[in-house]
Amino acid sequence: MDKETNSLNPWSSQGLADYNKLFDDFGIEPFVTNSDLNYHRYMRRGIVFGQRNFGPIENAIKTKTRFSVLDGFMPSGKSHIGHKMVMDQIIWYQKQGAEVFVGIADMEAYAVRNFSWEKCKKIGIDEYIISLIALGLKPEKTLLYFQSALQPVKDLAFELGTNVTFSELSSIYGFAGETHLSHMVSTTTQAADILLPQLEEFGGPCPVVVPAGADQDPHIRLTRGLASKMNMFYVEERNDTKSGLPYISVRGKDAVAGTLQAIQKAVLSDSSNIKSKLSKEHVDFFIENNCSESSEPFKLPESFKSLKSLIESHVQEVELSNGGYCFMEPSSTYHRFMSGLQGGKMSSSVPESHIALTDDPASGGKKVKRAKTGGRATFEEQKELGGNPDDCSVYELMYFHLSEDDKELEEIRKECVSGKRLCGTCKSEASERMTLFLKEHAEKRECARDTLSEFIIKM
Ligand code: TRP
Ligand code: SF4
């Protein structure tokens, strides 16, 4: 968190100190697991801690209606167990029925890291796409692409640019006079990634979820703003100043002539008890039997809600047939970052801080044995006082990756805190699991290479 600008900077190497600030300052909501979804362990364990607009995603999963998951990876170096967290989530959403879009952000890497296109291609395939497939991604309803190779992304990025000013970019990202143009363009390119699944050629408006680290939230906020700015109409709930009764107003900013009338006509022909009023820039809809003389108590909110979704579906039809996008605001979730194996931040550029998905199994296991623990100075102390799992990279590995069973994890924690578990054996156990994972992953990567041709990859 950058104190001076009070902004999150997706390109800085600073860790995030205070997750609570995200709720207070940026309006991220807590992620709650209160429904009967078959949640991923990251969700069950609070690793995925925040969300924006997750409701439509939960709803789409439950009702088995169309939705997408989209994520992007900037090729930087080795992909490691931090990237695995994003990959695991993409695959989880695919299992819940999502269409999958994965972009390799080569334009961003070109602009921000100064990487050549060739280097981006190689890293993109070898480090990200192959591991993603090895972890379980299936080719059905999946598009893998490099930003630079997908014309619709570049076109949309350009169009979005008309709604972004330099002062906005500097307040969101802290850009200043020396920021170069391509870096700025990479921001609308990422927004275009996120909106891509909603383009007509990819199926049109639908809920899209972006599982991300909190550092990516500035991009999400920018995109959510752009989604509504690009649309022809706003659908708003309002209250009549005189009667206090709620109504729904459809406002067209630069609506094509006749479209408000078309919306009015479509809504009225589809319902019996609706009154409406058309003005130059908006058309308002009221529920008739909600008038104040009625002895019945308010019918809200059910009839009102269904009126709203009825109106929204007609707005969508009219907007799409008049060349508009009618984007839904994208949804997002936020996960905690793992700390580095030696404490501090996990970083692609510090091999000892992470375990790369292509680390040799034996040396990956050794890294676990060298990791920082929450153990005490001596056996005796440990037995008496117990260890501190909350300050232990070994426990963190179990928590994030190496233990799927919540009961087992709780048992490990209890044994640690009570002093029953000693760091030596604990490390060996974690190290063995990591070695096995890396060994199997390497094998699966070889198979993944052979199945590459089953996937649609735009590059
Ligand atoms: N900026 C992201 C990163 O640094 C990569 C990215 C590009 C992305 N497009 C995206 C992430 C769309 C989420 C959604 O890794
Ligand atoms: Fe960490 Fe295991 Fe030691 Fe506890 S016993 S501090 S979990 S290594």
Side-chain angles (χ1 to χ4, degrees):
M1 186 87 52
D2 187 329
K3 275 219 185 79
E4 272 109 73
T5 58
N6 193 29
S7 66
L8 286 161
N9 182 348
W11 298 285
S12 99
S13 56
Q14 226 89 61
L16 250 192
D18 185 358
Y19 287 99
N20 280 329
K21 260 187 100 66
L22 293 170
F23 298 131
D24 302 340
D25 293 0
F26 296 108
I28 292 175
E29 312 262 344
F31 187 95
V32 280
T33 51
N34 58 359
S35 78
D36 45 9
L37 294 191
N38 186 10
Y39 291 105
H40 191 275
R41 67 172 182 278
Y42 298 148
M43 300 168 173
R44 301 195 306 266
R45 296 177 187 171
I47 294 168
V48 171
F49 67 91
Q51 51 92 12
R52 286 185 194 275
N53 201 28
F54 195 69
I57 301 300
E58 199 174 295
N59 189 46
I61 295 175
K62 283 189 187 153
T63 56
K64 300 194 190 307
T65 48
R66 178 176 160 248
F67 77 106
S68 304
V69 59
L70 178 136
D71 237 306
F73 296 94
M74 174 165 69
S76 52
K78 293 249 161 221
S79 68
H80 54 63
I81 50 177
H83 299 106
K84 174 177 176 284
M85 292 173 62
V86 176
M87 298 178 183
D88 286 338
Q89 291 178 74
I90 295 171
I91 293 161
W92 183 82
Y93 284 109
Q94 181 174 55
K95 288 196 182 126
Q96 312 309 308
E99 296 171 358
V100 177
F101 295 79
V102 175
I104 301 297
D106 59 345
M107 292 175 74
E108 186 178 352
Y110 187 99
V112 180
R113 304 261 160 144
N114 214 355
F115 279 16
S116 74
W117 302 113
E118 270 320 299
K119 185 169 179 182
C120 290
K121 283 224 167 68
K122 190 172 177 326
I123 299 180
I125 295 284
D126 262 17
E127 289 296 325
Y128 299 92
I129 292 181
I130 301 253
S131 275
L132 188 52
I133 298 172
L135 288 171
L137 189 75
K138 299 280 178 282
E140 290 77 31
K141 292 194 195 164
T142 294
L143 173 67
L144 309 173
Y145 68 93
F146 286 69
Q147 286 175 327
S148 68
L150 209 62
Q151 196 60 41
V153 164
K154 293 192 282 187
D155 290 346
L156 182 58
F158 180 80
E159 285 182 31
L160 294 174
T162 62
N163 283 310
V164 182
T165 64
F166 179 68
S167 13
E168 249 175 298
L169 289 185
S170 53
S171 84
I172 298 178
Y173 300 104
F175 284 176
E178 66 276 8
T179 307
H180 63 66
L181 181 56
S182 301
H183 192 175
M184 292 189 232
V185 169
S186 75
T187 62
T188 53
T189 307
Q190 175 150 349
D193 284 331
I194 296 172
L195 295 171
L196 181 73
Q198 301 195 64
L199 293 181
E200 197 183 359
E201 57 186 297
F202 296 104
C206 74
V208 178
V209 63
V210 182
D215 65 323
Q216 297 298 309
D217 187 55
H219 295 299
I220 309 274
R221 269 181 287 140
L222 178 75
T223 309
R224 289 169 58 81
L226 285 172
S228 73
K229 282 186 197 160
M230 294 299 282
N231 292 345
M232 284 182 181
F233 305 101
Y234 290 117
V235 181
E236 293 168 338
E237 290 176 31
R238 303 190 153 214
N239 281 303
D240 187 68
T241 36
K242 273 191 227 133
S243 65
L245 291 176
Y247 66 98
I248 290 166
S249 179
V250 179
R251 322 206 130 236
K253 294 163 290 179
D254 344 286
V256 181
T259 49
L260 283 173
Q261 285 89 328
I263 291 169
Q264 183 183 34
K265 201 171 148 214
V267 173
L268 292 182
S269 74
D270 227 9
S271 48
S272 49
N273 59 342
I274 304 299
K275 263 203 251 169
S276 76
K277 209 168 93 194
L278 180 71
S279 339
K280 195 155 161 273
E281 287 185 349
H282 55 105
V283 53
D284 300 335
F285 296 97
F286 312 81
I287 294 180
E288 237 173 348
N289 62 1
N290 259 344
C291 58
S292 36
E293 301 100 78
S294 163
S295 53
E296 297 275 308
F298 257 12
K299 285 242 174 103
L300 291 178
E302 269 322 308
S303 55
F304 196 68
K305 258 197 207 153
S306 60
L307 172 62
K308 191 170 181 204
S309 59
L310 175 81
I311 292 171
E312 279 169 343
S313 74
H314 286 300
V315 165
Q316 177 169 323
E317 230 165 77
V318 170
E319 178 162 347
L320 292 179
S321 60
N322 282 279
Y325 289 115
C326 205
F327 289 131
M328 293 177 69
E329 288 201 345
S331 312
S332 49
T333 67
Y334 303 93
H335 51 261
R336 278 169 212 279
F337 292 113
M338 291 191 73
S339 25
L341 297 179
Q342 312 285 340
K345 212 201 159 212
M346 182 176 290
S347 155
S348 301
S349 51
V350 185
E352 282 302 302
S353 77
H354 65 246
I355 287 167
L357 293 173
T358 51
D359 268 350
D360 162 69
S363 56
K366 278 198 193 115
K367 280 189 192 174
V368 177
K369 288 206 171 146
R370 285 196 296 267
K372 174 183 167 250
T373 73
R376 306 280 169 180
T378 64
F379 273 135
E380 289 68 34
E381 255 187 75
Q382 176 107 353
K383 281 203 171 124
E384 199 185 307
L385 302 168
N388 181 4
D390 294 324
D391 192 21
C392 173
S393 290
V394 179
Y395 183 73
E396 209 178 339
L397 282 169
M398 293 282 199
Y399 196 91
F400 279 68
H401 296 286
L402 300 175
S403 168
E404 177 60 37
D405 181 355
D406 293 343
K407 285 210 189 83
E408 178 196 65
L409 189 72
E410 202 189 315
E411 198 52 36
I412 294 174
R413 186 185 177 83
K414 270 195 198 143
E415 284 179 13
C416 171
V417 172
S418 69
K420 221 164 136 194
R421 192 170 254 269
L422 296 177
C423 294
T425 35
C426 189
K427 274 182 174 181
S428 302
E429 202 181 313
S431 158
E432 252 168 55
R433 290 187 192 195
M434 185 55 83
T435 305
L436 182 65
F437 164 76
L438 290 170
K439 196 165 155 273
E440 287 177 356
H441 186 66
E443 287 162 12
K444 288 183 189 156
R445 276 177 54 90
E446 285 322 303
C447 303
R449 239 177 249 286
D450 298 334
T451 62
L452 269 183
S453 60
E454 292 169 28
F455 285 80
I456 301 175
I457 307 178
K458 297 267 186 245
M459 64 186 288

